């Protein structure tokens, strides 16, 4: 098969479109012929060598949709020919609150990922994908949708009518948090480095937005949202933004973080955290029941993820360049078949 293989960390020229041995399913596993994959920022961190536990060579990619073409021992042969999403959260374990850190992995390191024509996964990772979903829309959903769903509903305990502030709305996960919060009856506000992305977010149902490049964006956001501040903030920027969000949310509100794009937070105002009784919550991806609930949410409400651009699999390097430029608003997809 053809795959994008990363044999050394570095620039986008390290993403080489080459032949790779066809994987064969073992007991309990299936082989999926992929139609499309999607990028996550994790792929860029790994490619640049900025991720823990890198083993090479590796095929990156956590998101994929496709059709089962082979099954291993003990797997129902009727799966062959059926179309599925792949849950990228591998071996989460039995607890709902946290994964089993001894077994849990994210598809696409160390396991071979979805930037390939074929992939082998455990059959328990499959969830049926309706035929009316275009491959690029379907591929865009898994990792970002799961992360946004858990951040908003499980960790954030969001309820209809609450206000939610989502940082960096150009991001893949942020876009899905916006879609889900709007669809579930939230009053949603966003931040971005780009006024165009803020305008797009308003068209997608946000009530307002602020540009986080402006020094006084917290003040602007507070005035825009009114009252005591938002009930929930959802963030992957990390860094100083964490401190800013503790400042912004209402007393007793929640800051839910799933990333540290801008690094660690050097001067956290701890007094504000306890005095305001703020819930500072971490979240990462999610479990199988959350993955299923997220898919159901999208399917039942007729939602589709926002896809910013589609590249051919062989153009994975250009797709990474685009993600690193930060120009995108929504998901970047690799078309593999058709
Ligand atoms: N823990 C998990 O399970 C999990 C899952 C997915 C992602 N992540 C992490 O979350 C982050 C985003 O991932 P992604 O795939 O959604 O990436 P992405 O699509 O590349 O989005 C990144 C976005 O971050 C925003 N951003 C950058 N600097 C910011 C700042 N100072 N303040 C606010 N926003 C800022 C930008 O928004 P604008 O373009 O609007 O300025 C940018 O578009 C990455 O660090 C990733 O590793 C973690």
């Amino acid at each position: 098969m053809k795959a994008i293989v990363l044999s050394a960390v570095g620039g986008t020229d390290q993403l080489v479109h080459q032949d790779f041995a066809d994987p064969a399913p073992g007991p309990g596993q299936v082989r999926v012929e992929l139609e499309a994959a999607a990028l996550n920022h994790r792929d860029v961190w790994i490619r640049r060598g900025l991720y823990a536990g890198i083993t090479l060579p590796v095929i990156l990619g956590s998101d994929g949709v496709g059709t089962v073409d082979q099954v291993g021992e003990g797997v129902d042969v009727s799966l062959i020919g059926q179309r599925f999403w792949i849950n990228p959260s591998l071996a989460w374990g039995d607890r709902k609150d946290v994964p089993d850190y001894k077994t849990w992995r994210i598809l696409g390191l160390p396991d071979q990922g979805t930037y390939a024509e074929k992939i082998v996964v455990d059959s328990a990772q499959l969830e049926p994908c309706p035929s009316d979903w275009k491959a690029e829309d379907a591929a865009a959903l898994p990792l970002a949708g799961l992360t946004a769903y858990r951040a908003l509903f499980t960790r954030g305990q969001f309820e209809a009518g609450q206000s939610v502030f989502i940082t960096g709305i150009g991001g893949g996960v942020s876009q899905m948090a916006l879609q889900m919060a709007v669809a579930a009856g939230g009053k949603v506000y966003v931040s971005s480095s780009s006024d165009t992305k803020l305008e797009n977010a308003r068209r997608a149902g946000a009530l307002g937005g602020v540009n986080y490049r402006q020094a006084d964006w917290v003040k602007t956001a507070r005035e825009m949202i009114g009252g005591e501040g938002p009930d929930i903030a959802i963030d992957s920027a990390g860094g100083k933004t964490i401190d800013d969000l503790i400042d912004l949310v209402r007393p007793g509100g929640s800051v839910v973080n799933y990333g540290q794009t801008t690094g660690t937070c050097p001067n956290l105002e701890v007094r504000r955290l306890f005095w305001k009784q703020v819930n500072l919550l971490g979240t990462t991806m999610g479990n199988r029941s959350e993955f299923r609930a997220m898919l159901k949410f999208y399917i039942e409400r007729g939602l589709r993820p926002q896809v910013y651009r589609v590249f051919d699999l062989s153009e994975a390097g250009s797709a990474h360049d685009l993600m690193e430029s930060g120009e995108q608003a929504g998901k970047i997809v690799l078309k593999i078949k058709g």
Side-chain angles (χ1 to χ4, degrees):
M1 67 170 181
K2 288 282 188 209
I4 300 292
V5 182
L6 181 74
S7 299
V9 298
T12 53
D13 56 335
Q14 298 296 344
L15 295 167
V16 181
H17 187 235
Q18 64 179 69
D19 291 320
F20 199 84
D22 274 18
Q29 294 183 318
V30 296
R31 189 171 75 180
V32 177
E33 215 178 347
L34 289 159
E35 297 168 40
L39 271 65
N40 290 285
H41 218 100
R42 175 180 192 265
D43 308 347
V44 172
W45 300 133
I46 296 170
R47 195 208 76 229
R48 294 174 57 196
L50 303 174
Y51 202 88
I54 298 176
T55 50
L56 301 172
V58 68
I59 299 172
L60 299 175
S62 308
D63 289 328
V65 65
T67 303
V68 171
D69 79 337
Q70 271 186 21
V71 297
E73 192 188 318
V75 180
D76 183 355
V77 292
S78 72
L79 295 185
I80 294 173
Q82 292 188 46
R83 188 184 201 220
F84 293 98
W85 271 293
I86 299 169
N87 177 359
S89 186
L90 309 179
W92 175 279
D94 297 331
R95 286 179 60 173
K96 292 215 156 136
D97 56 344
V98 287
D100 179 341
Y101 288 102
K102 291 194 292 300
T103 59
W104 183 62
R105 303 169 323 274
I106 302 170
L107 185 61
L109 182 82
D111 305 67
Q112 303 298 356
T114 57
Y115 291 12
E117 289 175 335
K118 292 171 188 166
I119 187 170
V120 162
V121 292
D122 286 350
S123 60
Q125 298 306 125
L126 302 179
E127 301 298 339
C129 178
S131 56
D132 64 344
W133 275 69
K134 285 196 297 184
E136 45 269 51
D137 292 345
L141 189 56
L143 189 148
L146 176 60
T147 305
Y149 184 92
R150 182 175 169 90
L152 184 66
F153 294 110
T154 310
R155 303 292 281 147
Q157 292 284 297
F158 167 81
E159 288 173 10
Q162 287 190 318
S163 50
V164 185
F165 184 79
I166 303 169
T167 61
I169 203 60
V173 182
S174 305
Q175 286 282 339
M176 296 197 202
L178 167 65
Q179 281 187 317
M180 285 191 261
V182 168
K187 293 178 276 190
V188 185
Y189 302 86
V190 302
S191 76
S192 179
S193 57
S194 149
D195 291 342
T196 308
K197 291 181 190 180
L198 293 176
E199 191 45 47
N200 289 343
R202 278 192 205 95
R203 278 199 287 275
L207 297 180
V210 294
N211 192 319
Y212 62 75
R213 295 248 195 265
Q214 289 171 358
D216 57 352
W217 70 263
V218 176
K219 182 168 174 281
T220 311
R222 183 175 285 114
E223 287 165 3
M224 181 180 67
I225 297 166
E228 294 187 302
D231 297 295
I232 304 167
I234 295 187
D235 172 67
S236 66
K240 184 180 179 304
T241 306
I242 297 294
D243 200 36
D244 291 335
L245 294 176
I246 292 170
D247 187 12
L248 179 64
V249 292
R250 67 160 168 84
S254 297
V255 175
V256 186
N257 170 270
Y258 60 90
Q260 54 164 10
T261 301
T262 66
T264 55
C265 184
N267 290 313
L268 187 79
E269 185 70 70
V270 180
R271 183 192 52 79
R272 198 153 46 205
L273 178 69
F274 71 75
W275 190 250
K276 284 182 72 178
Q277 317 233 12
V278 169
N279 307 300
L280 180 55
L281 300 163
T283 190
T284 281
M285 297 200 39
N287 57 47
R288 189 176 189 186
S289 59
E290 288 163 329
F291 189 65
R292 288 177 162 173
M294 180 275 294
L295 296 177
K296 189 164 178 273
F297 190 99
Y298 267 80
I299 291 167
E300 287 186 352
R301 291 165 197 256
L303 297 174
R304 293 292 185 272
Q306 184 163 334
V307 173
Y308 183 69
R309 196 167 301 164
V310 181
F311 290 86
D312 188 79
L313 176 65
S314 61
E315 301 169 317
S318 303
H320 272 228
D321 280 334
L322 174 61
M323 178 164 263
E324 281 185 282
S325 78
E327 177 203 315
Q328 76 278 6
K331 294 292 289 185
I332 301 167
V333 170
L334 300 176
K335 194 81 190 281
I336 298 169
K337 197 179 166 194

